[in-house]
């Protein structure tokens, strides 16, 4: 009987894709996947360190895993991913963990697992300059079989002062474009209709080769050419790097989704400088102008940090005003969380009091709710081509799917239309989160 592996995944989409890579590596070594912790021989958490609350949640899960291990001796508990990389062997101090493996160490998981004994936990947190898992065919764990994530690069060479990612994921490296296109073709041939190309800063994707260099715009084009029926999304753009060429390539292909995630972090030049984002508010707004010029209907979404070191009330007002000026369609919004070892932690005191941080975050969230609702209201009466993802959350009698701009549509199910089909819908009504539609 093969051993069973259960994995919980935290953090970003890249971690979701990494879990698929881990399942694939372990499947080749004879392990079977299970969705039930209670029947697993190996329990893994693929972890995130981006904010303290992400790590706290995982510590809570480690307690639960340790209880399971006490109940069923022989069960192995492992921490992999960014928290493993950040905390390294100190994770073993609690004796609740048998395995620690960083993001570049997944090929060694079968050997590490085989070497574990009750007195000998195993650890590999070496980072690599080359590893991209290019040859591994991820074992897809998505529920619907419509939308797949493909990592095109790993690591990050920026040093945004608040951010732990360069330390947990190491140096940036791009993956061979031929393996990316092959993987996209493979999922398309298996019925998938949408791929999302993933990287911390996709605009710095670069593959050097004698047959010609490939930048992100070329890669995007190669993937878009696989089929007009295959939608292409990507994340994340960096405002300092997003090029006219990428924006124009998006404009040329109907199947490249009209949606750009362009994290602004703050609307204040003083904060942007301190965050080491390497763009100004004016530069950012010029990129938005260019996007709108080429693609008037392109959605723009963002990430915002409230209460970074030294943030004044004026800096905060600048964030609210850039939000209004851009009119974001959606946003992920966070209170600043100091991460040990980062430039900000070493150089700037985390001096915005928690109540001020939270009040500012609330104001940002409330404003975004208004902007999201306004954005959705503009779509009422319009028709869109939607890719059906499955039944809606509320009812089996309804289907849901996204527009090219990434908005969630809900509409009554009709015979003959199912998951993975494209349908035309007209928007009848909306909330800040969804468009209510009918098929046309
Ligand atoms: N590579 C992407 C972001 C990756 S992390 C980019 O450059 O935009 C996702 C988001 O988490 C960031 O955009 C930022 O808004 C947020 N984040 C990162 N570090 C944080 C911290 N220390 N505290 C609060 N939010 C943080
Ligand atoms: Fe972090 Fe900046 Fe790299 Fe994004 S670009 S992962 S925020 S260091
Ligand atoms: Fe978290 Fe690591 Fe992703 S810190 S956000 S899982 S790159």
């Amino acid at each position: 009987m093969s051993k069973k592996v259960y994995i919980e995944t935290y953090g970003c989409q890249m971690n979701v894709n990494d879990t698929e890579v881990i399942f694939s590596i372990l499947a080749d070594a004879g392990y079977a996947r299970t969705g039930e912790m209670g029947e697993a021989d190996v329990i893994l958490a693929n972890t995130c360190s981006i904010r303290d609350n992400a790590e706290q949640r995982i510590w809570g899960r480690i307690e639960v895993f340790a209880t399971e291990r006490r109940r069923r001796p022989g069960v192995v508990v492992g921490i992999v991913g960014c928290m493993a990389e950040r905390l390294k062997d100190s994770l073993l101090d609690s004796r609740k963990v048998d395995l620690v493996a960083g993001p570049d160490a997944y090929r060694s998981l079968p050997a590490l697992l085989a070497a574990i004994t009750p007195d000998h936990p195993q650890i590999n947190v070496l980072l690599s300059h080359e590893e991209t898992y290019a040859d591994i065919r991820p074992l897809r764990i998505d529920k619907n079989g419509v939308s797949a994530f493909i990592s095109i690069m790993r690591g990050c060479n920026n040093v945004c002062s608040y951010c732990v990612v360069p330390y947990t994921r190491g140096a940036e490296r791009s993956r061979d474009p031929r393996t990316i296109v092959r993987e996209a073709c493979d999922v398309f041939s298996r019925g998938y209709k949408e791929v999302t190309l993933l990287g911390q800063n996709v605009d710095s994707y670069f593959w050097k080769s004698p047959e010609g260099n490939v930048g992100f715009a070329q890669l995007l084009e190669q993937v878009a050419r696989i089929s007009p029926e295959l939608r292409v999304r990507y994340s994340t753009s960096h405002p300092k790097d997003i090029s006219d060429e990428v924006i124009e390539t998006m404009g040329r292909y109907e199947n490249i989704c009209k949606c750009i995630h362009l994290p602004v972090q703050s609307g204040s030049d003083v904060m942007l400088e301190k965050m080491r984002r390497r763009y100004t508010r004016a530069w950012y707004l010029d990129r938005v102008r260019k996007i709108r010029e080429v693609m008037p209907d392109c959605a723009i979404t963002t990430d915002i940090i409230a209460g970074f070191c030294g943030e004044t009330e004026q800096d905060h007002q600048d964030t609210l005003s850039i939000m209004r000026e851009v009119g974001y369609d959606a946003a992920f919004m966070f209170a600043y969380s100091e991460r040990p070892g980062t430039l900000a932690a070493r150089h700037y005191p985390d001096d915005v009091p928690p109540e001020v941080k939270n009040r500012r975050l609330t104001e940002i969230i409330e404003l975004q709710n208004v902007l999201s609702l306004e954005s959705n209201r503009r779509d009422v009466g319009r028709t869109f081509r939607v890719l059906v993802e499955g039944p809606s959350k509320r009812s089996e009698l309804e289907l849901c799917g996204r527009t090219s701009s990434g908005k969630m549509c809900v509409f009554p199910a009709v015979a003959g239309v199912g998951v993975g089909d494209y349908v035309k819908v007209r928007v009848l009504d909306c909330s800040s989160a969804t468009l209510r539609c009918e098929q046309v």
Side-chain angles (χ1 to χ4, degrees):
M1 268 268 289
S2 57
K3 290 199 166 179
K4 292 188 175 137
V5 193
Y6 167 82
I7 309 183
E8 286 185 9
T9 308
Y10 298 88
C12 59
Q13 292 176 339
M14 269 169 250
N15 251 17
V16 176
N17 190 226
D18 279 3
T19 292
E20 298 179 325
V21 166
I22 296 171
F23 272 128
S24 174
I25 290 169
L26 291 179
D28 286 347
Y31 290 84
R33 176 188 161 208
T34 174
E36 300 288 329
M37 180 170 75
E39 61 167 30
D41 302 286
V42 178
I43 300 173
L44 300 180
N46 190 4
T47 59
C48 176
S49 286
I50 199 81
R51 284 167 289 275
D52 185 57
N53 56 12
E55 290 197 354
Q56 291 312 322
R57 199 162 143 222
I58 291 157
W59 282 115
R61 293 306 294 164
I62 293 175
E63 290 302 324
V64 174
F65 301 155
T67 309
E68 187 69 17
R69 192 176 65 164
R70 270 200 305 278
R71 200 168 68 77
R72 292 191 294 127
V75 166
V76 160
V77 171
I79 301 300
V80 306
C82 290
M83 209 172 149
E85 193 61 50
R86 192 177 86 76
L87 296 170
K88 302 190 170 59
D89 52 351
S90 71
L91 277 169
L92 299 173
D93 295 347
S94 65
R95 303 187 65 85
K96 288 174 180 149
V97 171
D98 309 288
L99 168 74
V100 174
D104 289 342
Y106 298 149
R107 286 183 205 267
S108 69
L109 282 174
L112 294 171
L113 284 169
I116 290 170
T117 66
D119 296 324
H120 289 97
Q122 298 291 315
I123 177 164
N124 181 353
V125 289
L126 284 178
L127 287 172
S128 154
H129 283 277
E130 289 88 33
E131 182 64 272
T132 58
Y133 301 112
D135 56 316
I136 289 173
R137 185 183 181 197
L139 201 130
R140 301 288 164 194
I141 53 174
D142 60 284
K143 282 168 246 99
N144 58 25
V146 174
S147 182
F149 296 125
I150 301 181
S151 295
I152 62 165
M153 57 206 294
R154 300 180 69 83
C156 183
N157 278 358
N158 294 311
V159 266
C160 302
S161 60
Y162 51 82
C163 184
V164 77
V165 171
Y167 307 93
T168 62
R169 293 255 160 184
E172 181 186 289
R173 66 221 95 125
S174 296
R175 175 177 167 188
D176 185 335
R178 289 165 297 189
T179 69
I180 297 168
V181 173
R182 195 198 305 140
E183 190 174 328
C185 285
D186 177 54
V187 295
F188 182 61
S189 72
R190 289 191 283 138
Y192 285 81
K193 294 289 177 62
E194 184 173 271
V195 293
T196 304
L197 308 180
L198 299 175
Q200 292 295 357
N201 177 1
V202 292
D203 303 291
S204 59
Y205 176 88
F206 189 73
W207 185 261
K208 212 171 145 124
S209 96
E211 299 100 69
N213 298 339
V214 180
F216 184 58
Q218 290 86 45
L219 179 71
L220 204 49
E221 183 152 29
Q222 287 182 17
V223 178
R225 279 190 173 163
I226 292 172
S227 166
E229 294 301 295
L230 179 67
R231 276 185 170 181
V232 188
R233 298 186 184 278
Y234 67 88
S235 185
T236 302
S237 301
H238 197 301
K240 79 174 160 61
D241 295 321
I242 185 169
S243 66
D244 288 359
E245 203 187 354
V246 165
I247 296 169
E248 283 155 11
T249 304
M250 286 180 76
R252 277 203 305 278
Y253 288 87
E254 182 74 33
N255 59 329
I256 303 182
C257 289
K258 301 300 175 278
C259 177
I260 298 183
H261 188 60
L262 199 63
V264 68
Q265 314 300 358
S266 170
S268 149
D269 281 340
V270 182
M271 288 295 107
L272 288 173
E273 167 79 39
K274 232 175 163 178
M275 289 174 165
R276 294 226 186 183
R277 289 291 284 177
R278 304 204 161 125
Y279 54 83
T280 59
R281 178 185 174 106
W283 170 276
Y284 185 95
L285 289 171
D286 179 68
R287 295 290 75 201
V288 171
R289 183 199 54 73
K290 174 73 189 180
I291 294 165
R292 296 258 152 87
E293 182 187 300
V294 176
M295 299 171 286
D297 283 336
C298 189
I300 300 179
T301 61
T302 203
D303 294 345
I304 294 172
I305 298 176
F308 186 58
C309 311
E311 187 186 72
T312 64
E313 213 47 44
Q314 183 56 49
D315 295 322
H316 170 59
Q317 290 302 323
D318 289 348
T319 295
L320 296 173
S321 76
I322 202 169
M323 290 173 70
R324 285 190 209 96
E325 209 165 327
V326 178
Y328 291 112
D329 298 277
F332 297 106
M333 299 153 285
F334 314 102
Y336 171 59
S337 165
E338 185 177 85
R339 307 314 291 131
T342 56
L343 284 176
R346 282 182 278 137
H347 296 298
Y348 311 123
D350 179 12
D351 54 3
V352 177
E355 61 282 6
V356 176
K357 251 186 215 175
N358 287 327
R359 192 253 307 151
R360 290 180 186 165
L361 179 62
T362 305
E363 287 175 12
I364 289 168
I365 292 171
E366 282 171 358
L367 173 57
Q368 186 52 48
N369 286 340
V370 173
L371 295 175
S372 298
L373 185 60
E374 282 174 4
S375 157
N376 285 351
R377 283 210 178 118
R378 285 194 292 273
D379 287 339
V380 174
R382 299 181 59 192
T383 57
F384 294 97
R385 190 169 186 242
V386 160
L387 174 60
V388 180
E389 289 179 15
S392 85
K393 259 191 246 152
R394 286 218 216 116
S395 160
E396 288 284 323
L397 302 173
E398 290 176 333
L399 293 173
C400 70
R402 284 177 201 280
T403 61
S404 168
S405 63
K407 290 184 182 178
M408 186 52 93
C409 296
V410 175
F411 44 94
V414 293
V417 173
V419 174
D421 290 339
Y422 287 102
V423 294
K424 256 206 161 151
V425 299
R426 180 183 300 110
V427 183
L428 302 172
D429 195 8
C430 69
S431 67
S432 62
T434 41
L435 304 177
R436 303 222 123 255
C437 309
E438 63 177 1
Q439 259 175 265
V440 291

